[in-house]
Amino acid sequence: MSGGFVTAADAGAPDFIQSADPLDSVETTENVTAKKDNAVHIRCQQRSGRKCITSIQGLHPDLDNKRLLKAFKKQFSCNGSIVEDKELGTILQLQGDQRDNASNFLTAQGIVKKESLVTHGF
């Protein structure tokens, strides 16, 4: 006991309190930022205060993005835009938190399979 602090080992704590760091077993060679093949990512980015933007990336390049965005805007009563990025490709942006709506729409219309849909956030 040093400095008035009692460690878990000094106090005779159960084994689950004295457990090792859970991240020690994670392999560091695994690239967790690598893009999955055929995965569609839906993210919500905080803008200011309560405002946020939903981004949809990884859609098939043969899809008509303008038509899809028009359907999103009409279905969800929100505004949106198409952003072209050199690294990430075409990204659809929608106003508000539309993650659940977009994932349900994409799976219901048969555009994306549920297994290849990745929803990020809380």
Side-chain angles (χ1 to χ4, degrees):
M1 198 158 118
S2 63
F5 295 106
V6 177
T7 63
D10 293 338
D15 290 337
F16 65 89
I17 294 178
Q18 297 176 7
S19 65
D21 186 14
L23 296 178
D24 287 342
S25 62
V26 176
E27 293 182 24
T28 57
T29 59
E30 181 183 358
N31 187 2
V32 293
T33 59
K35 189 166 70 169
K36 291 183 183 177
D37 292 335
N38 301 328
V40 176
H41 297 274
I42 301 176
R43 294 181 177 86
C44 187
Q45 300 170 344
Q46 196 72 28
R47 224 170 33 101
S48 63
R50 292 178 14 190
K51 310 280 184 185
C52 61
I53 295 175
T54 303
S55 301
I56 304 169
Q57 89 180 52
L59 292 169
H60 197 273
D62 292 341
L63 288 174
D64 186 3
N65 290 322
K66 281 189 175 183
R67 194 167 154 200
L68 186 60
L69 182 65
K70 186 174 181 179
F72 278 144
K73 289 164 62 171
K74 187 172 185 176
Q75 183 77 28
F76 309 147
S77 300
C78 66
N79 202 358
S81 64
I82 299 174
V83 177
E84 295 290 335
D85 189 51
K86 291 179 183 177
E87 288 183 23
L88 303 174
T90 302
I91 301 172
L92 298 179
Q93 290 185 338
L94 302 171
Q95 278 185 343
D97 188 1
Q98 306 291 343
R99 287 176 295 184
D100 293 335
N101 294 336
S103 62
N104 292 339
F105 182 87
L106 290 171
T107 54
Q109 297 298 323
I111 298 170
V112 178
K113 293 180 184 176
K114 192 167 183 97
E115 302 86 42
S116 63
L117 194 64
V118 181
T119 304
H120 300 275
F122 36 86

